[in-house]
Amino acid sequence: MNKLNNDEKDLLASFENDEWESVGNVTRLQQIQSYAKANLAKDKRITLRLSSLDLEAIQTKAIEEGIPYQTLISSILHKFVTGRLVESQD
């Protein structure tokens, strides 16, 4: 029998405690899949310095989106260079 590491045990406990919820809609599922695909397609590594406040804000937003913060940063940069990053109308 395979032994689970601590992260795997936490995931299993979370699943067994019904803490997971379905994506619920096709559009959100496609968005998450595109993040995953883009993340797997990375072939270059960079070092980037950010202020602590900016990094904390990015990490908070990534948690809200349910994605790793590096993926969020990469997605924002990708949208910017492809002209798809738009300003909020708030």
Side-chain angles (χ1 to χ4, degrees):
M1 179 167 185
N2 293 333
K3 296 205 177 208
L4 301 178
N5 67 33
N6 287 338
D7 289 335
E8 293 166 333
K9 288 177 186 176
D10 289 343
L11 283 172
L12 181 58
S14 173
F15 178 76
E16 289 175 342
N17 289 330
D18 291 325
E19 296 172 0
W20 293 51
E21 67 181 64
S22 175
V23 170
N25 69 51
V26 174
T27 302
R28 180 68 176 140
L29 178 60
Q30 289 171 338
Q31 181 184 33
I32 292 169
Q33 287 173 335
S34 73
Y35 291 148
K37 183 178 179 183
N39 194 41
L40 292 173
K42 307 292 185 276
D43 62 351
K44 299 287 182 186
R45 182 178 302 267
I46 67 166
T47 300
L48 179 66
R49 293 190 180 274
L50 299 172
S51 73
S52 296
L53 292 176
D54 286 344
L55 180 58
E56 289 173 16
I58 289 168
Q59 289 172 325
T60 299
K61 188 65 171 174
I63 289 169
E64 291 170 4
E65 294 293 320
I67 59 175
Y69 74 93
Q70 295 99 332
T71 302
L72 178 61
I73 293 170
S74 180
S75 174
I76 291 168
L77 290 172
H78 177 74
K79 288 177 182 177
F80 175 77
V81 300
T82 59
R84 295 187 301 142
L85 188 65
V86 295
E87 288 189 46
S88 174
Q89 299 299 321
D90 294 339

